[in-house]
Amino acid sequence: MKQKKVAIIGAGVVGASAAYLLSKEADIDLTIYDEGIGQGTSAAAGIISPWLSKRRNKKWYAMVKEGAAFYPDFLSEVMNGEPIPPHVYKRVGTLLFKQKDAQLEELLAIGEKRREQAPEIGKLAILPPNKIKEMIPIYTKNKSALYASGGARVDGEKLVETLLEKAIKNGATLKRERVKIERQNAVYSIVSDDKTESVDAVILAVAAWLPDLLEPLGYSVDIRPQKGQLVEVTFDGYDTENWPVVMPEGEKDITPFEDGKVIIGATHENDMGFDLTIEKSALTSMIKEAAENFSHYFSTSSIVSYRSGTRAYTSDFSPFMGEVPELPNVFAASGLGSTGLTAGPIVGKCLAQLILNKTTPLPLEDYPIRHYVSENK
Ligand SMILES: Cc1cc2nc3c(=O)[nH]c(=O)nc-3n(C[C@H](O)[C@H](O)[C@H](O)COP(=O)(O)OP(=O)(O)OC[C@H]3O[C@@H](n4cnc5c(N)ncnc54)[C@H](O)[C@@H]3O)c2cc1C
């Protein structure tokens, strides 16, 4: 049987999920290219808890809701009967705080309504400070929070590692390099510094870097980068594995992992392009916020590491995916913004299904690529 040659450019959560799925197809010869610098996935905080957002974009909500529901099934398939490793993904619940405790009732009502369509939100309850302290002993404030038991945390870097490892085991090739795509009539080539390889189909899972690949082919792409910085602190001696994710009012969330590791962040910095520089002042102010909002145990002396990455946004903040207009067999997704880790696996599945010419789990007409990617006339 002649194999179809498929290239995936970009191995963040979207590309790695598509790679895993396509690597299982006997009639596909798969090569994955990933440079990795600035990758959103490995920088991400790791929060999977989209249900209580007040964003009004219904199509975005449908994507992240389906994305969150897809995670456990997808990872069970990936693990092939083995348990999902808790250092990759675990449902630990989410605690949401509001400026005024009275707003929690309103949020609870929204959550209960949304649970009708999204049972994976789990149990919802307003927890008083003493109950929060039972879950997270370092809590030192006196506010209540809304608890949703279905919230999860995921380590983006470990998730991608797991997916790529499985894909390689299934026969895919991974190349850690930056590439370009060229087109001559209906033939596509993937071009690296020292090699040119022709392929039958391509997935562009390059998030904020999509303009770099498509502009040389004569396209305009409505995507801009946004910088995000995070800091990791340690709570040595605490069993943090089952602490829920904490979402205080504002953007600086607190995501506990195993072995005392806790991530705080992130910043949302526009107009910084692809800059990845770590600014000490940003780290200090994130820790200060965590101390003010949640626990005075947070301090700069417990910093272990920091990281930064790039998110991809369209001008109206909506995600898109599909076949690139006038480029048959070239598929792309981008614009996943600050919830791309949540949406990534299901978006990756959509792209894999497009390669296989099968129905996608999300309706493509709700995320029209034509609105954001167009050929220059
Ligand atoms: C600080 C931060 C915190 C976040 N926290 C969360 C969170 O808690 N929850 C959530 O749901 N989302 C979160 N996000 C958003 C989420 O991380 C992203 O939306 C998502 O990871 C995007 O995945 P992706 O696969 O589309 O792209 P990316 O993960 O950005 O991967 C794109 C890859 O393509 C590669 N690439 C680009 N061009 C080329 C080329 N020419 N050749 C080869 N390789 C190339 C890049 O090097 C990169 O590795 C966060 C993002 C950031 C930055």
Side-chain angles (χ1 to χ4, degrees):
M1 182 181 17
K2 186 181 173 318
Q3 284 194 310
K4 183 171 172 175
K5 284 186 91 173
V6 177
I8 296 180
I9 310 182
V13 61
V14 172
S17 300
Y20 163 74
L21 291 164
L22 290 175
S23 70
K24 298 199 298 179
E25 302 290 325
D27 57 349
I28 287 185
D29 172 5
L30 181 64
T31 307
I32 308 146
Y33 300 88
D34 187 53
E35 184 189 40
I37 297 172
Q39 184 185 92
T41 302
S42 53
I47 303 169
I48 310 295
S49 184
W51 312 282
L52 297 164
S53 163
K54 285 202 164 172
R55 248 179 103 175
R56 285 168 193 271
N57 184 332
K58 287 194 173 130
K59 289 168 183 167
W60 163 81
Y61 177 69
M63 176 184 271
V64 288
K65 168 179 99 66
E66 293 303 324
F70 184 63
Y71 251 92
D73 294 344
F74 178 59
L75 288 179
S76 298
E77 180 193 329
V78 172
M79 295 314 297
N80 196 18
E82 300 283 311
I84 299 171
H87 63 271
V88 175
Y89 169 91
K90 186 161 185 176
R91 271 193 167 148
V92 286
T94 317
L95 284 170
L96 267 117
F97 287 80
K98 285 281 152 202
Q99 211 63 274
K100 297 192 181 116
D101 280 0
Q103 293 169 283
L104 295 175
E105 295 288 347
E106 193 191 329
L107 207 58
L108 175 63
I110 294 173
E112 281 174 343
K113 181 98 198 74
R114 287 194 166 166
R115 189 169 50 192
E116 289 166 18
Q117 305 301 319
E120 54 282 353
I121 196 170
K123 280 188 222 135
L124 288 164
I126 295 174
L127 300 185
N130 64 322
K131 290 279 168 208
I132 298 173
K133 209 170 159 51
E134 278 173 24
M135 288 180 156
I136 309 185
I138 61 160
Y139 184 53
T140 52
K141 301 292 155 182
N142 201 22
K143 281 168 77 75
S144 301
L146 178 62
Y147 174 68
S149 69
R153 59 140 201 265
V154 61
D155 183 321
E157 190 176 1
K158 296 206 168 82
L159 171 66
V160 160
E161 257 170 41
T162 306
L163 294 168
L164 292 177
E165 201 180 283
K166 303 271 174 189
I168 292 165
K169 252 197 191 137
N170 290 341
T173 305
L174 172 65
K175 297 190 176 180
R176 299 276 184 200
E177 58 189 352
R178 185 174 187 83
V179 292
K180 290 189 285 190
I181 174 171
E182 283 180 0
R183 177 197 194 186
Q184 270 193 333
N185 303 319
V187 179
Y188 302 109
S189 302
I190 305 300
V191 182
S192 62
D193 281 344
D194 56 354
K195 221 170 169 188
T196 297
E197 291 203 53
S198 62
V199 289
D200 301 305
V202 188
I203 287 179
L204 306 177
V206 291
W209 295 267
L210 192 59
D212 292 358
L213 283 173
L214 288 179
E215 280 170 7
L217 299 182
Y219 282 80
S220 294
V221 182
D222 172 7
I223 278 291
R224 66 178 165 83
Q226 185 195 61
K227 176 179 176 182
Q229 302 183 61
L230 287 166
V231 58
E232 179 187 328
V233 297
T234 182
F235 282 96
D236 255 350
Y238 283 92
D239 183 6
T240 49
E241 177 176 347
N242 294 312
W243 288 7
V245 171
V246 177
M247 300 176 84
E249 185 96 73
E251 293 171 337
K252 311 297 185 294
D253 302 318
I254 299 166
T255 317
F257 284 82
E258 295 170 307
D259 305 325
K261 168 176 162 175
V262 176
I263 304 288
I264 312 172
T267 64
H268 289 71
E269 299 165 68
N270 295 310
D271 309 318
M272 295 298 288
F274 289 91
D275 176 64
L276 295 170
T277 318
I278 298 292
E279 288 152 280
K280 263 208 158 148
S281 59
L283 306 186
T284 315
S285 79
M286 286 193 286
I287 289 179
K288 218 168 124 199
E289 249 184 85
E292 272 162 20
N293 291 332
F294 193 74
S295 165
H296 59 239
Y297 285 97
F298 281 104
S299 90
T300 46
S301 61
S302 53
I303 294 180
V304 174
S305 63
Y306 28 76
R307 57 190 195 234
S308 63
T310 307
R311 305 179 187 88
Y313 278 100
T314 57
S315 52
D316 66 1
F317 304 96
S318 295
F320 65 81
M321 61 179 151
E323 192 171 50
V324 176
E326 325 312 329
L327 284 187
N329 296 315
V330 178
F331 304 96
S334 186
L336 303 185
S338 59
T339 46
L341 200 56
T342 309
I346 203 166
V347 169
K349 169 128 191 179
C350 289
L351 295 174
Q353 292 291 89
L354 285 170
I355 291 277
L356 301 172
N357 214 6
K358 290 187 181 165
T359 317
T360 54
L362 295 171
L364 292 184
E365 61 276 16
D366 286 351
Y367 311 100
I369 189 168
R370 277 181 189 277
H371 288 187
Y372 307 96
V373 177
S374 55
E375 218 179 353
N376 301 327
K377 294 289 174 210

